[in-house]
Amino acid sequence: MFYISKLGWLLAQPSMLVIVLLLGGVILLATRFQRLARAALIGAASLVVVGGILPLSTWLILPLEDRFPRADLSGGPIDGIVVLGGAEEARVANGRHVHALNMAAERMTETMALARRFPNAKVIFTGGSTNIVLGPAVEADAAASLLHDLGLEPDRLQVDRQARNTYENALYAKQLANPKPGERWLLVTSAWHMPRAIGLFRKAGFPVEAWPVDYRTAGSGDIFVPFYSPSEGLRRLDTAVREWAGLFVSWLTGQSKSILPKP
């Protein structure tokens, strides 16, 4: 399923669909299927305008980002923090021997802020290698190096190097945490990813409280704001469509109890 999902998404993502339609249209122009060629080219142009310039992706991602507010930290001590992989450019870190982060860098910075705020809390990082073509680069190795250099004591950190997706994140994080009744564990991941992650953690029997980070919108005021760079709009559209598809598949396969988990 991991490989099927990776390859399937590679072909199904909106930005790839633009390329497929463009190439298909250009190739068909040299044949007698002129009407089909024009339809493909019009479809590609429409997708660039609607998905890359108009705020369609914002409309799709806002309900996900707004679904889970941050946990109330005044309700008692925090026993542990689980942070999901996805912020690390592990291959770059390995190749350049530096710390390398991407747009989801707040997963790491917020984890350190929480770790300092709750000095007795354990920290679990879960993330293996998601590469299916390039050589393996383990997210947990890059994350552990970064967190240690930022000042996290080594005896507070546990890492899972096996998980390749959020379903496995939940399973392996629970094994490492072995949560006891009454303990409070925070889950740190991107706000748009939080609904799916919470659903999978709940199904795995690991009760966690949301600590969303890496917001891609400033709030509901963005629903009328167009993109000045079509590539940015399409990138956000890829993210939003992937999450909605992931929510549906997680529910369909029984990995989550609902399509859109509630707080």
Side-chain angles (χ1 to χ4, degrees):
M1 285 299 296
F2 170 74
Y3 293 103
I4 291 173
S5 65
K6 285 291 181 181
L7 292 173
W9 176 246
L10 177 65
L11 299 174
Q13 57 188 323
S15 58
M16 181 62 74
L17 182 58
V18 171
I19 296 175
V20 171
L21 290 172
L22 280 174
L23 289 177
V26 169
I27 292 171
L28 288 171
L29 282 175
T31 70
R32 61 187 178 87
F33 300 104
Q34 298 295 304
R35 182 176 297 179
L36 189 57
R38 289 194 295 270
L41 293 174
I42 291 172
S46 299
L47 188 52
V48 170
V49 172
V50 175
I53 299 177
L54 298 181
L56 172 63
S57 59
T58 301
W59 304 341
L60 291 174
I61 209 169
L62 260 174
L64 301 177
E65 290 194 332
D66 291 343
R67 189 68 170 175
F68 282 86
R70 287 189 167 184
D72 181 5
L73 299 182
S74 65
I78 299 299
D79 298 284
I81 303 160
V82 177
V83 55
L84 303 190
E88 314 71 31
E89 294 292 347
R91 184 168 172 272
V92 175
N94 286 349
R96 297 289 186 176
H97 306 292
V98 297
H99 299 309
L101 298 174
N102 55 34
M103 290 179 66
E106 294 97 317
R107 297 190 189 192
M108 307 304 292
T109 56
E110 283 289 315
T111 294
M112 279 306 304
L114 290 168
R116 290 193 176 99
R117 184 171 179 176
F118 302 101
N120 295 320
K122 303 173 186 176
V123 178
I124 292 177
F125 179 92
T126 168
S129 175
T130 60
N131 290 328
I132 61 175
V133 177
L134 303 174
V138 180
E139 293 178 341
D141 296 339
S145 175
L146 173 63
L147 291 173
H148 289 159
D149 283 355
L150 289 176
L152 184 66
E153 300 87 343
D155 60 346
R156 294 181 61 190
L157 178 64
Q158 293 179 284
V159 297
D160 153 46
R161 303 177 74 254
Q162 303 179 69
R164 300 170 299 176
N165 52 36
T166 314
Y167 172 71
E168 293 182 354
N169 287 146
L171 294 180
Y172 296 139
K174 183 186 178 184
Q175 292 176 11
L176 287 175
N178 190 23
K180 307 295 188 301
E183 287 186 346
R184 296 188 67 193
W185 285 80
L186 295 178
L187 177 63
V188 179
T189 191
S190 300
W192 44 266
H193 183 54
M194 188 63 74
R196 181 156 61 103
I198 288 287
L200 292 168
F201 270 73
R202 286 174 179 172
K203 184 68 175 183
F206 189 175
V208 289
E209 299 178 50
W211 194 261
V213 299
D214 180 30
Y215 290 88
R216 300 298 167 89
T217 70
S220 58
D222 281 2
I223 61 175
F224 301 113
V225 179
F227 291 90
Y228 298 103
S229 170
S231 63
E232 291 300 315
L234 288 172
R235 176 186 295 181
R236 184 179 295 177
L237 185 61
D238 284 347
T239 298
V241 171
R242 183 179 67 236
E243 278 308 302
W244 281 106
L247 283 163
F248 178 74
V249 172
S250 296
W251 169 76
L252 191 65
T253 57
Q255 296 175 355
S256 181
K257 293 181 179 179
S258 61
I259 294 180
L260 188 59
K262 298 179 180 179

